Amino acid sequence: MNIKIQVVENLAKSEARGRRRKNTSAGSDEIITLNNVSKAYATGAPALNGVSLRIKKGEFVFIVGDSGSGKSTMIKLLLRELVPTSGEINVMGYDLTRIRHRKIPKFRRNLGIVFQDFRLLKDRNVYENVAFAQRIIQVSSKEIKRNVPSILATVGLAGKYKAKPRQLSGGEQQRVAIARALVNRPSILLADEPTGNLDPKNSWEIMKLLEQINENGTTVLVVTHNREIVNAMQKRVVTMKKGVIVSDEEKGGYIDDED
Amino acid sequence: MRISTFFYTIKQGFINIFRNKWFSLASIATIGACLFLFGLFYSVLINVQSIVKTAQEVVSVEVLFDEGISQERIEEIGELIDKRPEVSSKNFISADEAWESFKEEYLGEYADGFTENPLENSASYEIFLNDVSMQPALVSYLEGLEGVRTVNRSEIAAATLTGVNALIAYVSIGIIVILFAVSIFLISNTVTIGISVRKEEITIMKYIGATDFFVRSPFVIEGMMIGAIGALIPLGIIYVIYNQVIEYIVTKFSMLMRLLSFVPVETIFAQLLPVSLILGVGIGFLGSIVTVRKHLRV
């Protein structure tokens, strides 16, 4: 493999922190690189089988496929929740096959993650749910007080910071989750079925919000089932089936399963 | 670590305690029971030791000499006794003194019939020991000395006192070890439940990039708090009841008072307070850190 070592010019925030990373991917602007990645669980067929994928900084990518296609496994590999059986994964210059355990938290601070079921802390209000993300990375209370209202305004929830999750609609809860994912200014936003629990109107709003986030420079990966949205948004679509990538198109659409 | 993070962690620790009140209470109660028993045994042990020490001062060894022994030899024997490390003090009782005290104690006015000292050969050394358990060694040494006729001793008293000391120590150590094992187990259970209650929160924390330390420390704080509270409650109880118990014993068994010398509560607490706190917090720390390492493989 052609290995070039160079400092990745990342988000302004990352630069401010003075972080230097090795980028072992082929292209300078590739933020996610999967090289012939396979993942087999102890039982059954491999979940991923020789997947190679390159995602550039600032891209908006849909990953689509039925259940069992390997999407979830891919997300888990990108989060370094799982380690591949073979192949190489490089995310933001971190070699995820070799990263040390104690470096994982630092790596994850560059990823924002949004789930289908929102995963908000039910006993805390909107403000605390977002502030939580900052507390974890040990941001000072003063900075938290400045950052949280601004990010809540970005997702359109400025007026609801005192509400508890159960007082919010599904769409609003997902906005809180997105705010939480964004407040630490990640380079990449991973959204795992973000509209899976939402009605069409809210789904659209969330997608528009993700698009807006992407336009502001964050690389966005969306794993989804939502055919209408994928077809309408005309973004890059990576289609997976039974652990392999069956198509990867710029401005693609949702490919119907012929089975 | 930032100060705000520190306070956040402490706060989360408290929240953990309140969130599973009943398990926290159960753990506090167990640690409390352990440390209460520990405090009780400790108080009893210290007092028994103090009483044994007083009793040791009463238990003595008596050395009688051969008939017609010279005064010089008696003094030589006295010097040899003084050299023994287990000897705390000795008194020389001359034949006349022995007769005087015998007369006073048993004969009273009937003693007038005696013109000579019938206890002419009863001059003796009365020897007091530092440590009753050393009595047999001293006795055999004394019996080997030239000019010594007999050595009188209170073997039973010595054996009993030594035995009581050892027994109390062993029993307390045994019980306390068992109780501590139970406490650690219960704290571990409480923390396990705390972790399972906050499973979702922990998962989110891990995704956001919390360090192992950040995820684990509230649970360790929780364990240590439980330990500290579990230590302070029995200490308070012991402090209150200690004087009452001693007062009760003193009034009920006033005849024993000469033998019993109790240690004031302040003296007991000078050691019991720090030891209990360290044990309580230590158990809490141990119980939680083991559990957190096992269940929070973050």
Side-chain angles (χ1 to χ4, degrees):
Chain A
M1 199 180 100
N2 172 25
I3 296 172
K4 267 161 89 180
I5 297 172
Q6 64 187 98
V7 177
V8 175
E9 288 190 359
N10 220 313
L11 282 178
K13 180 92 177 177
S14 310
E15 283 171 359
R17 286 178 194 156
R19 243 186 253 146
R20 288 162 68 93
R21 293 197 204 98
K22 288 173 183 176
N23 188 345
T24 53
S25 62
S28 62
D29 58 349
E30 274 173 17
I31 197 160
I32 296 175
T33 313
L34 277 77
N35 248 334
N36 203 17
V37 171
S38 295
K39 175 69 193 176
Y41 295 107
T43 51
L48 276 192
N49 205 346
V51 169
S52 293
L53 180 67
R54 287 172 209 295
I55 293 170
K56 289 194 190 78
K57 203 178 128 196
E59 270 194 287
F60 189 116
V61 183
F62 281 116
I63 295 171
V64 302
D66 297 324
S67 50
S69 61
K71 318 183 296 274
S72 307
T73 302
M74 184 136 94
I75 288 279
K76 284 179 177 161
L77 288 168
L78 290 175
L79 284 167
R80 185 47 176 73
E81 208 181 323
L82 294 174
V83 189
T85 316
S86 66
E88 286 182 348
I89 303 177
N90 194 297
V91 180
M92 295 175 294
Y94 286 94
D95 182 348
L96 296 193
T97 46
R98 287 188 193 88
I99 188 169
R100 286 178 173 215
H101 178 82
R102 62 185 176 81
K103 294 263 185 197
I104 295 172
K106 209 175 169 194
F107 157 70
R108 285 188 182 153
R109 289 174 189 188
N110 301 293
L111 292 174
I113 173 118
V114 175
F115 301 95
Q116 179 175 3
D117 53 0
F118 322 133
R119 300 206 188 167
L120 300 176
L121 302 174
K122 292 170 188 70
D123 60 330
R124 285 173 228 191
N125 64 29
V126 168
Y127 180 91
E128 273 305 318
N129 263 286
V130 179
F132 177 67
Q134 295 238 285
R135 295 237 154 81
I136 284 169
I137 64 164
Q138 309 196 12
V139 173
S140 74
S141 299
K142 209 172 124 193
E143 272 182 75
I144 293 176
K145 278 188 192 125
R146 201 169 49 227
N147 294 341
V148 174
S150 113
I151 204 80
L152 283 175
T154 308
V155 299
L157 280 175
K160 298 214 170 181
Y161 68 97
K162 272 187 177 168
K164 288 276 172 71
R166 67 185 142 74
Q167 297 166 311
L168 301 175
S169 73
E172 286 170 328
Q173 289 189 49
Q174 194 60 293
R175 283 165 189 272
V176 178
I178 291 170
R180 184 181 64 192
L182 286 181
V183 72
N184 293 341
R185 299 180 187 281
S187 309
I188 302 173
L189 184 70
L190 286 177
D192 190 2
E193 304 272 5
T195 60
N197 285 359
L198 302 179
D199 59 37
K201 183 178 165 284
N202 274 308
S203 297
W204 266 110
E205 284 177 8
I206 292 296
M207 281 302 170
K208 287 289 163 201
L209 181 59
L210 293 177
E211 194 175 24
Q212 187 194 322
I213 290 160
N214 174 245
E215 280 161 8
N216 290 333
T218 309
T219 308
V220 176
L221 249 80
V222 182
V223 171
T224 187
H225 267 113
N226 196 316
R227 183 187 316 269
E228 290 74 30
I229 284 175
V230 172
N231 288 336
M233 282 181 72
Q234 292 293 300
K235 301 283 185 188
R236 180 176 171 193
V237 178
V238 173
T239 309
M240 296 188 66
K241 195 178 170 187
K242 290 177 181 165
V244 293
I245 293 174
V246 291
S247 101
D248 183 353
E249 294 174 67
E250 295 296 326
K251 299 186 188 292
Y254 200 103
I255 295 172
D256 281 310
D257 197 349
E258 300 91 31
D259 293 338
Chain B
M1 192 201 258
R2 278 178 179 277
I3 294 202
S4 60
T5 308
F6 176 75
F7 284 119
Y8 180 79
T9 304
I10 300 269
K11 189 180 154 198
Q12 294 307 311
F14 271 109
I15 289 174
N16 280 356
I17 293 177
F18 288 111
R19 200 168 292 176
N20 39 101
K21 287 184 216 62
W22 296 109
F23 281 95
S24 301
L25 271 177
S27 306
I28 289 171
T30 329
I31 292 206
C34 284
L35 289 172
F36 179 72
L37 283 173
F38 173 75
L40 220 58
F41 279 117
Y42 181 82
S43 306
V44 170
L45 197 70
I46 293 291
N47 275 299
V48 166
Q49 272 178 355
S50 147
I51 289 163
V52 166
K53 207 163 176 349
T54 321
Q56 277 171 359
E57 286 160 14
V58 178
V59 175
S60 63
V61 173
E62 195 186 22
V63 180
L64 294 162
F65 309 105
D66 288 339
E67 271 179 56
I69 190 170
S70 67
Q71 193 59 38
E72 290 79 48
R73 181 58 191 159
I74 289 177
E75 275 162 24
E76 271 174 39
I77 292 171
E79 278 163 26
L80 288 170
I81 291 168
D82 284 336
K83 279 182 193 153
R84 300 288 293 183
E86 63 268 34
V87 171
S88 79
S89 66
K90 70 163 198 329
N91 291 322
F92 178 70
I93 296 159
S94 69
D96 290 343
E97 281 167 351
W99 174 235
E100 282 303 316
S101 79
F102 186 82
K103 270 201 298 194
E104 254 174 56
E105 232 170 293
Y106 300 103
L107 299 174
E109 50 201 64
Y110 306 106
D112 295 346
F114 293 91
T115 49
E116 275 180 31
N117 183 356
L119 297 177
E120 201 159 350
N121 290 318
S122 295
S124 66
Y125 277 122
E126 191 183 26
I127 303 165
F128 297 98
L129 294 162
N130 293 322
D131 182 352
V132 178
S133 64
M134 296 303 289
Q135 202 197 53
L138 180 71
V139 168
S140 60
Y141 170 76
L142 292 172
E143 280 172 345
L145 291 178
E146 200 185 314
V148 170
R149 175 160 49 105
T150 20
V151 178
N152 292 331
R153 58 186 156 173
S154 50
E155 217 166 342
I156 297 167
T160 313
L161 286 176
T162 316
V164 165
N165 247 347
L167 185 73
I168 289 186
Y170 289 138
V171 168
S172 354
I173 290 169
I175 291 176
I176 287 163
V177 164
I178 292 168
L179 285 172
F180 283 164
V182 173
S183 308
I184 289 178
F185 173 74
L186 269 160
I187 290 228
S188 162
N189 263 2
T190 309
V191 171
T192 308
I193 283 157
I195 290 171
S196 68
V197 165
R198 304 189 86 170
K199 194 120 224 160
E200 194 171 9
E201 189 178 335
I202 291 164
T203 315
I204 297 166
M205 285 167 94
K206 286 197 272 177
Y207 280 133
I208 295 173
T211 55
D212 291 7
F213 181 80
F214 190 90
V215 174
R216 287 167 173 173
S217 41
F219 296 102
V220 177
I221 299 268
E222 178 190 1
M224 286 165 72
M225 291 286 178
I226 288 174
I229 299 168
L232 288 173
I233 292 171
L235 283 171
I237 296 173
I238 289 172
Y239 194 89
V240 171
I241 65 170
Y242 185 85
N243 284 327
Q244 291 177 353
V245 168
I246 285 181
E247 208 175 303
Y248 176 80
I249 294 173
V250 168
T251 46
K252 278 274 168 187
F253 308 99
S254 50
M255 49 200 288
L256 290 174
M257 265 322 283
R258 251 180 307 154
L259 253 174
L260 304 182
S261 65
F262 291 105
V263 179
V265 70
E266 288 76 19
T267 315
I268 297 267
F269 267 66
Q271 280 182 16
L272 186 61
L273 183 82
V275 169
S276 291
L277 269 177
I278 290 167
L279 279 174
V281 174
I283 291 171
F285 178 77
L286 213 73
S288 51
I289 200 99
V290 167
T291 316
V292 156
R293 285 193 167 272
K294 198 169 122 197
H295 291 282
L296 285 186
R297 305 205 114 263
V298 287

